[in-house]
Structures are given as structure tokens and as C-alpha cells.
Amino acid sequence: MSSNLFQDLPRNFPTEVFTSLLESPAVRIERIVSHGHSSPRDFWYDQQQAEWVVVLKGAARIEFADRMLEMRPGDFVAIPAHTRHRVDWTTPDEPTIWLAVHSS
Amino acid sequence: MSSNLFQDLPRNFPTEVFTSLLESPAVRIERIVSHGHSSPRDFWYDQQQAEWVVVLKGAARIEFADRMLEMRPGDFVAIPAHTRHRVDWTTPDEPTIWLAVHSS
């Protein structure tokens, strides 16, 4: 992919598309593109690393154990390690572009 | 500031405004807002940490020792530690919003 987050978007993709932008011992930065995708109903992420994630385009909803979080462009959230969450919904109207920063 | 990158922008600010969004031993994430600002002519950043930076709104130009890099929304660049650079220009037409990830 080019060095632009908003270019080279996938088309007709059956699942979310993850693209690594930077990997170092300290941090991993990735772009995620969703388009109407969500996590399976009983699937929960339970990650060993902390994640900071922002929605840059589109719209999404993340489910945590105790709340739903609506996310619009610019909205960000820090998800500590082992905080269970899932993608409850992303808009079918356009691609949702996320930027995620994983770190220990 | 709220948990939205595009809200709560500063107004009439004499220098670039840096807002820390996440700080951990591994990583520091910050929003930078510029509005026509640039680095002083002979000033160069020479950072101990690696920086990954993306322009989300506006327009900017970064100078490296050997090149100029024009940046439009979505453009990102990885700047290794101790890679001298400066902000040569940001557009006076609107705020330029950057997201920077610093890590060792």
C-alpha cells in the first residue's frame, strides 16, 4: 500500500482487512478497513497488548463488557490489555477506516 | 480535550499545540495542531525516539536533510530516531491536524 491511509482501499472484501504500517519491538501500528463487518456474535477480543484505536472515516460501534461505544470520525479509545471487546457494528454505507496502535 | 481528534481545536494560537492522548512506558501518542506554523529556519528536530506521524487534516511540508515531503490528509511517514527534520510549512488556510506516535 502507498503511504496514505485513505488510498488503496480493498474492494469486495469478505472480512476486515488489516494492514501493518509499522512494526517495532515497542509498537505496532495498523490500518483496519471494515465495511459492514462485525465480530461474530460470541467472539471477544482479549488481547495481550494494549490498543489505542481511532476511527478516521465511517462509523462503528464497539461493545465492551459493560457498555457500547459509538465511534464517529475522530473518536478514539484506549483499550487496556485483556479488556474484552468486540466490533458490534460498522456502517454498511461506506468503508470504515481505523488506525490502531498496539503496544506493551 | 474530548476523545475526538477533530474537536476542541485551539484558536489563535501563537505556536503549534501538542496534546498528549496516551502515555505509557512503550509509547506516547499526541495530537499536534498547526495553523500556518513552521519550525524556525535553522531549527531541526533530532529526537531520541522514533516517530510515526500522519496528517489527518490540512496540509504540511516536512524538510529532511535530503528532501522535502509534501503531506496531505492520510499521508504518513516513519521518522527513525535521530533523523533530523523540521516542519517547513503548514497551510494558513485551515488547521493542520497531525497524529504522532513516539516509541523507543
Side-chain angles (χ1 to χ4, degrees):
Chain A
M1 119 175 207
S2 76
S3 55
N4 188 290
L5 295 178
F6 305 135
Q7 294 178 1
D8 299 326
L9 297 184
R11 295 186 182 195
N12 300 320
F13 43 110
T15 58
E16 294 185 305
V17 175
F18 297 76
T19 305
S20 179
L21 307 177
L22 182 79
E23 292 202 48
S24 77
V27 68
R28 180 165 57 86
I29 302 176
E30 65 186 2
R31 182 184 75 175
I32 306 167
V33 184
S34 318
H35 197 155
H37 303 98
S38 60
S39 304
R41 184 174 297 269
D42 293 321
F43 173 86
W44 293 85
Y45 288 101
D46 183 349
Q47 301 173 141
Q48 297 198 344
Q49 287 197 305
E51 177 175 357
W52 183 95
V53 66
V54 58
V55 166
L56 296 177
K57 298 202 174 186
R61 191 169 57 236
I62 299 180
E63 182 176 4
F64 294 93
D66 58 348
R67 63 173 175 145
M68 289 282 193
L69 180 64
E70 303 278 349
M71 299 189 74
R72 300 282 161 172
D75 285 337
F76 61 84
V77 63
I79 305 174
H82 296 298
T83 299
R84 285 159 53 95
H85 63 285
R86 56 186 293 284
V87 178
D88 189 60
W89 171 85
T90 57
T91 179
D93 298 336
E94 61 177 323
T96 292
I97 301 177
W98 314 70
L99 185 72
V101 179
H102 305 268
S103 62
S104 52
Chain B
M1 128 176 199
S2 77
S3 56
N4 188 290
L5 295 179
F6 304 135
Q7 293 177 2
D8 298 326
L9 297 184
R11 295 184 180 198
N12 300 320
F13 43 111
T15 59
E16 294 184 305
V17 176
F18 297 75
T19 305
S20 180
L21 306 178
L22 182 78
E23 292 201 48
S24 77
V27 68
R28 181 165 56 86
I29 301 176
E30 64 185 3
R31 182 184 75 175
I32 307 165
V33 184
S34 318
H35 197 157
H37 303 98
S38 60
S39 304
R41 184 173 297 272
D42 293 320
F43 174 85
W44 294 85
Y45 288 101
D46 183 350
Q47 300 173 141
Q48 297 198 343
Q49 287 196 304
E51 178 175 357
W52 182 95
V53 66
V54 59
V55 167
L56 297 177
K57 298 204 172 184
R61 189 168 60 236
I62 300 180
E63 181 176 5
F64 295 94
D66 58 349
R67 63 172 175 146
M68 289 282 192
L69 180 64
E70 302 278 350
M71 299 190 75
R72 300 282 162 172
D75 287 336
F76 61 84
V77 63
I79 305 175
H82 295 299
T83 298
R84 284 158 54 96
H85 63 284
R86 56 187 293 284
V87 177
D88 189 59
W89 172 85
T90 58
T91 178
D93 297 338
E94 61 178 323
T96 292
I97 301 177
W98 314 70
L99 184 72
V101 180
H102 303 268
S103 63
S104 52

